[in-house]
Amino acid sequence: MNDSEKLLESEERIHEFEARIARGEKIEPGDWMPAEYRKQLIRMISQHAHSEIVGMLPEGAWITRAPNLRRKITLLAKVQDEAGHGQYLYHAAETLGATREEMIDALLTGKAKYSSVFNYPSLTWADMGMIGWLVDGAAIMNQTMLAHCSYGPYSRAMVRICTEETFHKKQGMEQVIKYARGTPKQKEMAQDALNRWWWPSLMMFGPHDSNSPNSAQLIRWGVKTKTNDELRQEFINKMVPDLQLLGLEIPDPDLHYDKASGNWVSGEINWDEFWRVLKGDGPCNQERMQARRAAHENGVWVREALNAYAERYEH
Ligand code: 3HC
């Protein structure tokens, strides 16, 4: 086939691929897909998986300091769920041809990203409630959208993950309500946690649509069905009335309600901070990477034992 025939063939194939997505069909691992579609999904799914695994660290630090057995068991269950979500998502990325080694190497060498929200410190027990309600609440908003994603394995992983995230959000909400209606000290702790987690949670939805290099293609190919700003606005509209009902103050002096659109209009996110944390200069980036590198190092013997077993008994 000469170059122009190849070009025509690939244009026809992309046209048919996009027609499949327009019909609402799911693209499965063995189906033909543009190389760029595969590349985008490996990027997005592997970074989603990294976020789940690194996301275990801020909460894991509080398991041994939970105020009672019930809270300890709940937090333990949540952190274990996140580990499972990470495995789910690494597997989904592997269906596209990515290897676990490549993905983990990309994380540990700093080539791959994970959600910047996890580069902030969890300073008090009240953070456990606020992370559950805000961070997992934002994740649910994003992941509910992704459950409609055009790539079969990713959308199906989202259905399972969203079910568990709903428990994560509810347990967080319950804690924040208890603190906001508790002693003055407890309410002060809830407000302090809100002050520190509100803006990093808004950043989870990504840069403004006008500054989102990946969104146009992801929307065109049905990976994203809503834009970064649309989801962020839905999150703000949901969260503001609930938090204000508890007598908590949103740490945004420019926040105001716009009657015409029915939206709570947020002040501007500090995008310098956003990009600075993405580049590795956040409060906990070093600590998070050290923890992941140490875990990987300490796990060498497990991987060697599993590979030896597979060599001996599975070939
Ligand atoms: N943290 C870190 N990086 C971010 C980011 C954030 N909050 N928001 C955007 N970025 C990065 C993107 O990865 C991209 O960089 P890259 O091209 O090198 O990967 C760059 O900033 C530009 O952003 P775009 O908007 O162009 O990127 P996307 O179109 O991929 O949108 C996204 C970003 C909304 C995070 C999208 O990738 C997405 O929906 N990912 C899947 C969901 C996910 O990863 N969620 C993370 C949280 S998981 C979680 O919270 C676990 C829960 O259990 C608590």
Short mmCIF file of all heavy atoms in Angstrom, two decimals, residues 77-108:
data_model
loop_
_atom_site.label_atom_id
_atom_site.label_comp_id
_atom_site.label_asym_id
_atom_site.label_seq_id
_atom_site.Cartn_x
_atom_site.Cartn_y
_atom_site.Cartn_z
N ALA A 77 -10.88 0.56 56.00
CA ALA A 77 -11.64 0.02 54.86
C ALA A 77 -11.50 0.96 53.66
O ALA A 77 -11.28 0.51 52.52
CB ALA A 77 -13.11 -0.14 55.23
N LYS A 78 -11.55 2.26 53.92
CA LYS A 78 -11.46 3.23 52.81
C LYS A 78 -10.08 3.14 52.15
O LYS A 78 -9.97 3.06 50.92
CB LYS A 78 -11.70 4.65 53.32
CG LYS A 78 -11.53 5.70 52.24
CD LYS A 78 -11.79 7.10 52.73
CE LYS A 78 -11.86 8.15 51.66
NZ LYS A 78 -10.76 8.26 50.71
N VAL A 79 -9.03 3.14 52.96
CA VAL A 79 -7.66 3.12 52.40
C VAL A 79 -7.43 1.82 51.61
O VAL A 79 -6.86 1.81 50.53
CB VAL A 79 -6.62 3.31 53.51
CG1 VAL A 79 -5.20 3.12 53.00
CG2 VAL A 79 -6.76 4.71 54.14
N GLN A 80 -7.98 0.71 52.16
CA GLN A 80 -7.85 -0.56 51.41
C GLN A 80 -8.59 -0.49 50.08
O GLN A 80 -8.13 -0.97 49.05
CB GLN A 80 -8.42 -1.72 52.25
CG GLN A 80 -7.46 -2.19 53.34
CD GLN A 80 -8.10 -3.22 54.26
OE1 GLN A 80 -9.31 -3.12 54.55
NE2 GLN A 80 -7.33 -4.17 54.74
N ASP A 81 -9.77 0.15 50.08
CA ASP A 81 -10.52 0.33 48.82
C ASP A 81 -9.66 1.05 47.79
O ASP A 81 -9.62 0.67 46.62
CB ASP A 81 -11.78 1.18 49.06
CG ASP A 81 -12.93 0.40 49.67
OD1 ASP A 81 -12.82 -0.83 49.80
OD2 ASP A 81 -13.93 1.06 50.02
N GLU A 82 -8.97 2.12 48.25
CA GLU A 82 -8.17 2.91 47.29
C GLU A 82 -7.09 2.04 46.65
O GLU A 82 -6.84 2.13 45.44
CB GLU A 82 -7.51 4.12 47.96
CG GLU A 82 -8.40 5.01 48.80
CD GLU A 82 -9.55 5.66 48.05
OE1 GLU A 82 -9.82 5.31 46.89
OE2 GLU A 82 -10.23 6.53 48.62
N ALA A 83 -6.50 1.16 47.45
CA ALA A 83 -5.48 0.25 46.89
C ALA A 83 -6.11 -0.61 45.79
O ALA A 83 -5.54 -0.79 44.71
CB ALA A 83 -4.90 -0.64 47.99
N GLY A 84 -7.32 -1.11 46.08
CA GLY A 84 -8.01 -1.92 45.08
C GLY A 84 -8.35 -1.13 43.83
O GLY A 84 -8.22 -1.61 42.70
N HIS A 85 -8.74 0.14 44.01
CA HIS A 85 -9.05 0.99 42.84
C HIS A 85 -7.80 1.15 41.97
O HIS A 85 -7.85 1.08 40.74
CB HIS A 85 -9.54 2.36 43.28
CG HIS A 85 -10.82 2.30 44.05
ND1 HIS A 85 -11.36 3.39 44.69
CD2 HIS A 85 -11.67 1.27 44.30
CE1 HIS A 85 -12.48 3.03 45.29
NE2 HIS A 85 -12.70 1.75 45.07
N GLY A 86 -6.67 1.31 42.64
CA GLY A 86 -5.40 1.43 41.90
C GLY A 86 -5.14 0.19 41.06
O GLY A 86 -4.83 0.27 39.87
N GLN A 87 -5.34 -1.00 41.67
CA GLN A 87 -5.10 -2.25 40.93
C GLN A 87 -6.06 -2.35 39.74
O GLN A 87 -5.67 -2.70 38.64
CB GLN A 87 -5.31 -3.47 41.87
CG GLN A 87 -4.36 -3.54 43.04
CD GLN A 87 -2.90 -3.41 42.63
OE1 GLN A 87 -2.49 -3.92 41.59
NE2 GLN A 87 -2.14 -2.68 43.42
N TYR A 88 -7.32 -2.02 40.00
CA TYR A 88 -8.34 -2.07 38.94
C TYR A 88 -7.89 -1.25 37.74
O TYR A 88 -7.95 -1.65 36.58
CB TYR A 88 -9.62 -1.43 39.50
CG TYR A 88 -10.78 -2.36 39.59
CD1 TYR A 88 -10.72 -3.50 40.37
CD2 TYR A 88 -11.94 -2.09 38.90
CE1 TYR A 88 -11.80 -4.37 40.44
CE2 TYR A 88 -13.03 -2.94 38.98
CZ TYR A 88 -12.95 -4.08 39.75
OH TYR A 88 -14.02 -4.92 39.82
N LEU A 89 -7.41 -0.05 38.06
CA LEU A 89 -7.08 0.91 37.00
C LEU A 89 -5.77 0.53 36.30
O LEU A 89 -5.66 0.66 35.07
CB LEU A 89 -7.04 2.32 37.56
CG LEU A 89 -8.43 2.85 37.95
CD1 LEU A 89 -8.32 4.04 38.89
CD2 LEU A 89 -9.24 3.21 36.71
N TYR A 90 -4.80 0.01 37.04
CA TYR A 90 -3.58 -0.47 36.37
C TYR A 90 -3.94 -1.59 35.39
O TYR A 90 -3.46 -1.65 34.26
CB TYR A 90 -2.54 -0.97 37.38
CG TYR A 90 -1.79 0.14 38.10
CD1 TYR A 90 -1.67 0.13 39.50
CD2 TYR A 90 -1.19 1.19 37.40
CE1 TYR A 90 -0.98 1.16 40.17
CE2 TYR A 90 -0.50 2.22 38.07
CZ TYR A 90 -0.41 2.19 39.44
OH TYR A 90 0.26 3.19 40.11
N HIS A 91 -4.86 -2.47 35.83
CA HIS A 91 -5.29 -3.56 34.92
C HIS A 91 -5.97 -2.98 33.68
O HIS A 91 -5.73 -3.43 32.56
CB HIS A 91 -6.27 -4.50 35.64
CG HIS A 91 -5.60 -5.52 36.53
ND1 HIS A 91 -4.61 -6.36 36.08
CD2 HIS A 91 -5.77 -5.79 37.84
CE1 HIS A 91 -4.19 -7.13 37.09
NE2 HIS A 91 -4.88 -6.81 38.16
N ALA A 92 -6.80 -1.95 33.89
CA ALA A 92 -7.49 -1.36 32.73
C ALA A 92 -6.46 -0.79 31.75
O ALA A 92 -6.57 -0.96 30.53
CB ALA A 92 -8.45 -0.26 33.19
N ALA A 93 -5.43 -0.17 32.29
CA ALA A 93 -4.38 0.40 31.41
C ALA A 93 -3.60 -0.72 30.72
O ALA A 93 -3.21 -0.60 29.56
CB ALA A 93 -3.44 1.28 32.24
N GLU A 94 -3.42 -1.85 31.42
CA GLU A 94 -2.69 -2.97 30.81
C GLU A 94 -3.43 -3.55 29.61
O GLU A 94 -2.84 -4.08 28.68
CB GLU A 94 -2.43 -4.07 31.86
CG GLU A 94 -1.33 -3.70 32.86
CD GLU A 94 -1.31 -4.59 34.08
OE1 GLU A 94 -2.29 -5.34 34.32
OE2 GLU A 94 -0.32 -4.52 34.84
N THR A 95 -4.78 -3.41 29.59
CA THR A 95 -5.53 -3.93 28.42
C THR A 95 -5.20 -3.14 27.16
O THR A 95 -5.50 -3.55 26.06
CB THR A 95 -7.06 -3.85 28.65
OG1 THR A 95 -7.44 -2.46 28.75
CG2 THR A 95 -7.51 -4.60 29.88
N LEU A 96 -4.53 -1.99 27.34
CA LEU A 96 -4.16 -1.14 26.19
C LEU A 96 -2.71 -1.38 25.77
O LEU A 96 -2.19 -0.73 24.86
CB LEU A 96 -4.37 0.33 26.53
CG LEU A 96 -5.84 0.75 26.64
CD1 LEU A 96 -6.00 1.93 27.57
CD2 LEU A 96 -6.41 1.06 25.26
N GLY A 97 -2.06 -2.32 26.49
CA GLY A 97 -0.68 -2.65 26.11
C GLY A 97 0.38 -2.04 27.01
O GLY A 97 1.57 -2.30 26.87
N ALA A 98 -0.04 -1.22 27.99
CA ALA A 98 0.95 -0.67 28.93
C ALA A 98 1.35 -1.78 29.90
O ALA A 98 0.52 -2.63 30.23
CB ALA A 98 0.34 0.49 29.70
N THR A 99 2.65 -1.81 30.32
CA THR A 99 3.02 -2.81 31.33
C THR A 99 3.06 -2.15 32.70
O THR A 99 3.29 -0.93 32.80
CB THR A 99 4.42 -3.40 31.06
OG1 THR A 99 5.39 -2.36 31.28
CG2 THR A 99 4.53 -3.96 29.63
N ARG A 100 2.86 -2.95 33.73
CA ARG A 100 2.89 -2.45 35.10
C ARG A 100 4.24 -1.81 35.40
O ARG A 100 4.29 -0.73 36.01
CB ARG A 100 2.62 -3.60 36.09
CG ARG A 100 2.43 -3.19 37.53
CD ARG A 100 1.17 -2.39 37.72
NE ARG A 100 -0.01 -3.14 37.40
CZ ARG A 100 -0.80 -3.75 38.32
NH1 ARG A 100 -0.48 -3.69 39.59
NH2 ARG A 100 -1.89 -4.38 37.95
N GLU A 101 5.30 -2.44 34.93
CA GLU A 101 6.65 -1.92 35.19
C GLU A 101 6.80 -0.52 34.59
O GLU A 101 7.31 0.40 35.24
CB GLU A 101 7.72 -2.86 34.59
CG GLU A 101 7.85 -4.22 35.27
CD GLU A 101 6.67 -5.14 34.96
OE1 GLU A 101 5.93 -4.88 33.97
OE2 GLU A 101 6.42 -6.07 35.76
N GLU A 102 6.33 -0.37 33.34
CA GLU A 102 6.46 0.96 32.68
C GLU A 102 5.70 2.03 33.48
O GLU A 102 6.17 3.13 33.72
CB GLU A 102 5.87 0.91 31.27
CG GLU A 102 6.68 0.18 30.24
CD GLU A 102 5.84 -0.16 29.00
OE1 GLU A 102 4.59 -0.01 29.05
OE2 GLU A 102 6.42 -0.60 28.01
N MET A 103 4.48 1.67 33.90
CA MET A 103 3.64 2.66 34.61
C MET A 103 4.25 3.03 35.95
O MET A 103 4.34 4.22 36.29
CB MET A 103 2.22 2.11 34.77
CG MET A 103 1.47 1.97 33.47
SD MET A 103 -0.26 1.53 33.70
CE MET A 103 -0.15 -0.26 33.79
N ILE A 104 4.69 2.02 36.70
CA ILE A 104 5.27 2.30 38.02
C ILE A 104 6.57 3.10 37.86
O ILE A 104 6.84 4.06 38.58
CB ILE A 104 5.54 1.00 38.81
CG1 ILE A 104 4.24 0.19 39.01
CG2 ILE A 104 6.22 1.30 40.16
CD1 ILE A 104 3.15 0.89 39.77
N ASP A 105 7.34 2.75 36.84
CA ASP A 105 8.59 3.48 36.59
C ASP A 105 8.30 4.94 36.26
O ASP A 105 8.96 5.85 36.77
CB ASP A 105 9.34 2.81 35.43
CG ASP A 105 10.65 3.52 35.13
OD1 ASP A 105 11.52 3.52 36.03
OD2 ASP A 105 10.75 4.16 34.06
N ALA A 106 7.24 5.16 35.46
CA ALA A 106 6.87 6.55 35.10
C ALA A 106 6.50 7.35 36.35
O ALA A 106 6.85 8.51 36.51
CB ALA A 106 5.73 6.54 34.09
N LEU A 107 5.80 6.68 37.28
CA LEU A 107 5.43 7.38 38.54
C LEU A 107 6.69 7.68 39.35
O LEU A 107 6.92 8.82 39.76
CB LEU A 107 4.47 6.52 39.36
CG LEU A 107 4.17 7.04 40.78
CD1 LEU A 107 3.41 8.37 40.75
CD2 LEU A 107 3.40 6.00 41.60
N LEU A 108 7.51 6.65 39.56
CA LEU A 108 8.64 6.80 40.50
C LEU A 108 9.75 7.70 39.96
O LEU A 108 10.53 8.26 40.71
CB LEU A 108 9.20 5.43 40.88
CG LEU A 108 8.21 4.48 41.59
CD1 LEU A 108 8.89 3.18 41.97
CD2 LEU A 108 7.58 5.13 42.81
#
